Amino acid sequence: MSDNSQVTAEDVQERAGIDRSVRFPVMFFFTSAAVWLFVATLFGFLSALKLAVPALWADCQFLGYGRLFPAHMTALVYGWAMQAGIGVMLWLVARLTRVEMTKAKAVIVAGHVWNFAVGLAVFAIWIGKGRSIPWLDFPGWMWMLFALSYLMMVVWVIPMFRVRRTGDVYISEYYVIGAAVWFPWIFITANVLINRGAAPVMAAGAAGWFVTNLIYFWFAPIALAVAYYIVPKIAGRPIFSYPLAKLGFWTLAILAGWTGFQRFMGGPFPAWMPALSGAATLFILIAVVATCTNLLMTLKGRQKLWEYSPSLRFTMFGMLMFAIYGVLAGMSSFFSVGKVLQFSHFLVGLDTLAVYGFFSMTIFGAMYFIVPRVTGCEWVSGGMIRWHFWFSAYGILTLVGVMLVGGLAQGGNMADLDQRFAVSVGNSQGYVIGRICAWFLIGISNLWFVYQMGLMFLGKGRKSEGPTLIHGEPGKSAEAAAGLNPENA
Amino acid sequence: MNRKQLWKLLSGLGLAFGVPWFLMILIPYFQQATASPVPYSEEEGVDGFTVYPDPSYGTVGASDYGLKIYEREGCAYCHTQVVRPTYAGPDMWLGWGGGPETARETRPQDFAGEAFAHLGYQRIGQDLSNVGTRSTREELHRVLSDPGSVSTGSAMPSYRHLYRKTDSGWAPTGDAEALVDYLLSRKKDQPLPDSVR
């Protein structure tokens, strides 16, 4: 990472050129992701509502929980999270390699294919072509559309690293390259094995393995690449320890592939598989601790920036959620805890925590950083960013809280020999209401986000020299208050 | 990064992921895909069966179409199809293991003949591994068309779009019959040969 004090005018011009070269693909992905996020939130809210009040719209086949929930997860994972992540990835690659993107049009074409695939997948699930496989609900052949579109993008991304001009390799690049090459491998493996239909139980195992691998091999690397980029930038100093960053990276890379089978404790698998997966999930905590320590030490003494910089605030919140995810995933990997939480509401909370709490919040941070740079205008209002943050934060914390406590209650009831099964259903209904509230809060927060993103997409942002901050201090210009020099970024 | 550095990194990434991919996914998958049924020994008097799993396992009449309906309605999001051993949970105690004589935990071979084992995601409803041994066709139709009338406070939505309203109640369509066929085929209770027990 270059030292911020030596930023020259040429550097600034070069960065502006790089930003311009990725403007259209990045904004295309961000804006369509924001729209899908809103669709996903709506489905999430309706599915939670339907779970609490099953008699609602009893005659309408399109409003059953079994269709709304998979449609929600598909829109959230492929429509929002992956698209937003791809947008961030493109920008990061261009910036880190200092290469202008020349294939912007090809990437946008691939983006249209991706959006078409997501739309088709959500629609197909909704009208009754789903497969009841978490995160892989779309009809069997549709994986080819996703894979094709992704490969059409990545094929332009990887060569950019080879023509890279600067000498040193930054840790974010490791993560981005990792995410770029791991995803197709995981995705194609899971889909081909499931569609082959030769080994039913291992196909189910591969589906569970796909979920945790997508989290650890795609969501986590992209989010960590962002954090390792944003935190030093905003703090205005290099990362605390480079060896620690590498330790975190390789720990994650070596362990993540073994995870996934801890979801099937006591299931029809050889006992070593859930045990090994559980152990791997637990040891990933090393990567979590290394990364979070590194980021916090980088920020040490400058925590105040969190009050002003939207990018830093969202990113650090995302990293906090990463730590919580690591701990909860590790905790539920112990057989004694996992057997109780397995099949309970906890699982929904855990998956949503990964996608929304940890990944999405970090990506919001990246977006608040990237969008003004590629569009050349600033976010409309710090107040709206503040609302977006707090509603999202309370929403996701509510969701994780109720799903965790609800999961413990439900799982505890199910494990209790003296109670009928119906007791666990009745007792967990209250927590389902918490889930409705959480999606309501998240829905509200995303209204602000989609509105702002729409304005930025249309070029209707604020024309200003300085960035939009969450708070300004009275009597001082906002940038000076935060100690931020816009040229540093 | 130069070409050599990039290839070094890419092979590191490939190795880190390739090892678990090969050992955890590919080998077990193809082992399972090529496993052959286990014959019963001479002394075991098991009526009707010569091998475990029996070739007819997992398919009953129109259940292939019923499976499609099971999948499209997202049944597997709230219903599991796995009976865990007693050390993992009270599944057997809750009567999900099958009939009194044949009750046992789920084995991998129990899904033979199916394309995908719907082990499930959550348990908002009962486990369905052996729903065919404990329910009749009429009971299942009643649950599907009007869950509240069977168990009050049930979190299950109704699937009335699979039924037609008549004067006397809800008449099943072909889809509903197929789904119930599938549910009635859920019996994972074939006795195990001594050699795999």
Side-chain angles (χ1 to χ4, degrees):
Chain A
M1 178 121 302
S2 61
D3 190 346
N4 281 322
S5 59
Q6 292 165 2
V7 177
T8 62
E10 290 88 66
D11 280 345
V12 173
Q13 260 188 347
E14 188 194 18
R15 283 173 190 168
I18 292 167
D19 286 346
R20 260 197 313 278
S21 76
V22 290
R23 171 177 180 168
F24 292 105
V26 166
M27 284 311 287
F28 174 80
F29 280 109
F30 281 3
T31 316
S32 34
V35 174
W36 278 115
L37 174 62
F38 197 69
V39 173
T41 312
L42 195 67
F43 274 118
F45 176 74
L46 286 177
S47 67
L49 189 64
K50 181 72 187 180
L51 192 58
V53 194
L56 204 63
W57 312 304
D59 297 332
C60 180
Q61 57 166 315
F62 302 110
L63 291 167
Y65 177 77
R67 291 198 193 174
L68 289 173
F69 183 72
H72 153 68
M73 279 320 263
T74 304
L76 189 68
V77 170
Y78 297 97
W80 151 249
M82 285 212 58
Q83 278 207 86
I86 290 168
V88 170
M89 184 164 91
L90 293 174
W91 184 84
L92 271 180
V93 170
R95 267 289 185 107
L96 290 167
T97 58
R98 298 217 187 174
V99 177
E100 288 192 18
M101 175 166 258
T102 49
K103 305 288 182 194
K105 284 210 182 87
V107 172
I108 292 183
V109 171
H112 279 286
V113 177
W114 185 276
N115 268 292
F116 174 70
V118 177
L120 206 60
V122 172
F123 185 68
I125 293 163
W126 199 43
I127 62 163
K129 304 273 177 218
R131 291 195 294 179
S132 266
I133 304 174
W135 294 30
L136 290 170
D137 267 290
F138 41 78
W141 56 273
M142 240 180 241
W143 69 271
M144 284 184 259
L145 275 182
F146 287 104
L148 178 77
S149 159
Y150 189 86
L151 292 174
M152 277 162 70
M153 291 175 247
V154 169
V155 88
W156 306 118
V157 167
I158 300 282
M160 286 173 80
F161 285 98
R162 226 183 51 207
V163 296
R164 184 176 191 278
R165 281 185 280 150
T166 51
D168 48 338
V169 184
Y170 188 57
I171 187 72
S172 291
E173 292 178 65
Y174 279 69
Y175 279 116
V176 169
I177 298 179
V181 298
W182 282 324
F183 173 73
W185 199 346
I186 300 165
F187 187 71
I188 293 173
T189 304
N191 278 288
V192 167
L193 293 187
I194 289 170
N195 287 341
R196 210 164 168 272
V201 173
M202 266 310 291
W209 171 85
F210 170 76
V211 172
T212 58
N213 275 253
L214 190 61
I215 291 171
Y216 283 127
F217 270 147
W218 207 84
F219 289 152
I222 298 275
L224 295 182
V226 166
Y228 273 123
Y229 191 87
I230 298 269
V231 172
K233 276 279 182 197
I234 306 273
R237 55 159 79 132
I239 52 167
F240 169 69
S241 160
Y242 205 73
L244 201 58
K246 277 195 148 178
L247 172 79
F249 176 80
W250 286 111
T251 314
L252 188 70
I254 288 167
L255 291 173
W258 300 96
T259 62
F261 287 87
Q262 75 273 24
R263 291 179 178 233
F264 304 108
M265 283 174 189
F269 292 93
W272 64 269
M273 295 180 90
L276 192 56
S277 284
T281 311
L282 206 57
F283 280 110
I284 285 179
L285 274 173
I286 297 172
V288 175
V289 171
T291 309
C292 291
T293 314
N294 213 352
L295 292 170
L296 284 176
M297 290 305 282
T298 306
L299 207 57
K300 197 175 173 220
R302 304 192 184 177
Q303 298 94 326
K304 208 165 175 250
L305 292 168
W306 136 285
E307 296 209 7
Y308 305 103
S309 162
S311 313
L312 188 66
R313 187 188 281 202
F314 275 95
T315 305
M316 286 313 287
F317 186 83
M319 286 300 110
L320 174 70
M321 294 291 114
F322 178 49
I324 294 179
Y325 177 79
V327 171
L328 289 182
M331 186 186 86
S332 61
S333 297
F334 281 107
F335 183 74
S336 51
V337 184
K339 69 177 183 185
V340 176
L341 291 177
Q342 187 178 30
F343 303 139
S344 77
H345 288 300
F346 174 76
L347 193 57
V348 179
L350 197 64
D351 284 351
T352 318
L353 174 64
V355 183
Y356 197 87
F358 142 53
F359 181 73
S360 302
M361 291 302 265
T362 316
I363 292 303
F364 286 135
M367 285 176 161
Y368 280 118
F369 191 83
I370 294 169
V371 174
R373 281 164 182 78
V374 299
T375 58
C377 52
E378 295 297 329
W379 294 98
V380 180
S381 129
M384 275 197 214
I385 300 178
R386 194 160 65 228
W387 285 113
H388 176 210
F389 177 79
W390 285 115
F391 272 81
S392 269
Y394 275 107
I396 191 66
L397 286 173
T398 307
L399 188 77
V400 173
V402 292
M403 293 290 101
L404 176 62
V405 179
L408 281 169
Q410 187 197 12
N413 279 331
M414 276 197 273
D416 187 345
L417 295 176
D418 292 334
Q419 281 174 341
R420 287 164 54 244
F421 176 75
V423 174
S424 77
V425 178
N427 283 354
S428 60
Q429 281 304 76
Y431 300 103
V432 177
I433 293 172
R435 184 165 154 188
I436 304 177
C437 300
W439 281 108
F440 183 71
L441 291 176
I442 293 175
I444 303 228
S445 91
N446 289 331
L447 273 180
W448 277 300
F449 176 67
V450 173
Y451 173 69
Q452 289 202 88
M453 188 56 103
L455 287 183
M456 296 297 269
F457 181 70
L458 298 171
K460 296 256 165 67
R462 223 159 43 80
K463 302 282 187 256
S464 159
E465 287 294 303
T468 304
L469 299 174
I470 298 180
H471 293 284
E473 247 175 63
K476 280 186 183 177
S477 82
E479 301 87 71
L484 286 179
N485 177 357
E487 280 190 352
N488 280 354
Chain B
M1 123 179 43
N2 59 39
R3 183 178 286 228
K4 202 175 146 207
Q5 273 176 311
L6 182 65
W7 280 112
K8 225 167 106 184
L9 175 62
L10 285 179
S11 23
L13 299 178
L15 201 64
F17 178 65
V19 172
W21 174 73
F22 189 68
L23 295 180
M24 197 85 168
I25 297 294
L26 284 200
I27 292 185
Y29 186 91
F30 286 103
Q31 266 185 355
Q32 203 172 81
T34 53
S36 40
V38 182
Y40 292 94
S41 66
E42 297 277 326
E43 306 86 71
E44 296 174 74
V46 185
D47 14 302
F49 299 115
T50 53
V51 289
Y52 167 77
D54 196 67
S56 73
Y57 230 62
T59 49
V60 172
S63 66
D64 284 352
Y65 181 59
L67 170 65
K68 289 263 177 298
I69 296 169
Y70 186 85
E71 291 178 340
R72 81 169 197 215
E73 301 300 345
C75 302
Y77 276 96
C78 298
H79 293 283
T80 55
Q81 288 192 30
V82 54
V83 178
R84 295 175 296 171
T86 317
Y87 64 78
D91 303 12
M92 297 287 286
W93 183 273
L94 287 163
W96 292 341
E101 299 293 315
T102 54
R104 62 171 173 80
E105 67 214 37
T106 303
R107 303 286 300 227
Q109 296 91 330
D110 288 343
F111 295 91
E114 297 178 38
F116 186 88
H118 282 291
L119 300 178
Y121 185 66
Q122 273 193 278
R123 268 185 189 160
I124 298 174
Q126 304 184 355
D127 184 86
L128 299 181
S129 296
N130 291 293
V131 68
T133 61
R134 61 174 185 264
S135 324
T136 64
R137 185 169 289 273
E138 289 67 37
E139 281 168 1
L140 288 173
H141 278 310
R142 216 174 115 209
V143 172
L144 286 166
S145 60
D146 192 1
S149 73
V150 178
S151 109
T152 43
S154 166
M156 182 166 157
S158 75
Y159 290 89
R160 272 180 214 155
H161 59 274
L162 302 176
Y163 292 81
R164 277 188 313 273
K165 190 157 179 62
T166 62
D167 296 337
S168 56
W170 297 94
T173 62
D175 283 7
E177 294 290 7
L179 178 57
V180 170
D181 280 341
Y182 172 75
L183 292 174
L184 288 174
S185 78
R186 300 296 86 196
K187 291 175 187 167
K188 300 189 190 332
D189 56 355
Q190 188 185 345
L192 297 175
D194 286 339
S195 52
V196 300
R197 201 183 286 268

